[in-house]
Amino acid sequence: MSNPLKQLKDAIFSINNIEKTSVQKKSNVYESLPVGYLNQPNFFNQVISIETDLFPKELLQHFQKIEKKQKRIKKIFNGPRTIDIDILLFDDLCIDEKELVIPHPRMLERAFVMIPLLEIEPSIKIPKINNLKEFLGKLDIKTINIIND
């Protein structure tokens, strides 16, 4: 939380070093108001596209190791944290399990997710969503600002 831009860069570096995985695209970094628990610093968000030969759960395990390495501690739901790495989409898979839900269940509600996602994949197709424009029209884009690092 003390240096969010460095934490994002460190996370991307670590992701790029996961076996059989490489970062393909990176969005700009966006600053946004916190969600849920409001008594915390603003969020810094970035979306990346990766190519991997891993299965979704294997990838999730690697992401959790990176979060742990960056000293993520879960004390308060939606509370302050050093890093939060989510799998938004994985090809056209739909997974609904306790430890992993793909597509990410709240991604369509969050401008800080959708704006950077559309930046790197403007024609993205989201499983089970026929009219993406309907969701995008409901987003409050005034809550996010692009960061020039």
Side-chain angles (χ1 to χ4, degrees):
M1 293 172 288
S2 63
N3 192 343
L5 292 175
K6 181 180 182 322
Q7 290 161 293
L8 286 171
K9 287 178 183 177
D10 289 349
I12 291 170
F13 178 82
S14 295
I15 290 168
N16 207 40
N17 285 308
I18 297 171
E19 62 183 289
K20 304 176 186 175
T21 302
S22 64
V23 175
Q24 302 296 305
K25 297 178 186 175
K26 299 184 293 185
S27 75
N28 285 299
V29 176
Y30 293 82
E31 183 177 13
S32 67
L33 298 173
V35 173
Y37 181 77
L38 303 179
N39 188 21
Q40 62 180 316
N42 285 350
F43 292 168
F44 283 68
N45 305 281
Q46 187 171 29
V47 172
I48 64 171
S49 171
I50 64 171
E51 201 170 284
T52 186
D53 289 338
L54 300 176
F55 292 106
K57 284 187 183 176
E58 292 174 306
L59 189 62
L60 177 65
Q61 290 170 347
H62 283 282
F63 288 175
Q64 290 169 339
K65 287 177 188 174
I66 294 168
E67 290 176 338
K68 187 174 182 177
K69 180 180 171 186
Q70 289 200 21
K71 299 182 178 22
R72 177 179 177 173
I73 299 169
K74 296 179 184 182
K75 287 184 180 180
I76 301 169
F77 182 72
N78 284 334
R81 52 206 178 267
T82 55
I83 196 81
D84 183 18
I85 306 171
D86 291 321
I87 300 173
L88 303 175
L89 299 163
F90 197 106
D91 294 329
D92 59 353
L93 291 179
C94 291
I95 299 173
D96 190 359
E97 297 178 3
K98 182 181 175 187
E99 64 276 357
L100 182 61
V101 178
I102 300 174
H104 189 284
R106 292 169 302 285
M107 65 185 277
L108 293 169
E109 303 164 8
R110 297 178 172 168
F112 64 81
V113 172
M114 295 307 299
I115 299 302
L117 175 61
L118 290 167
E119 178 186 319
I120 63 170
E121 295 293 340
S123 59
I124 191 83
K125 301 286 186 219
I126 299 175
K128 298 183 181 178
I129 302 300
N130 295 325
N131 188 355
L132 185 56
K133 287 182 181 179
E134 177 185 329
F135 289 93
L136 298 178
K138 297 176 184 177
L139 295 177
D140 185 359
I141 61 171
K142 293 176 283 192
T143 62
I144 67 169
N145 295 304
I146 196 166
I147 300 295
N148 297 314
D149 64 280

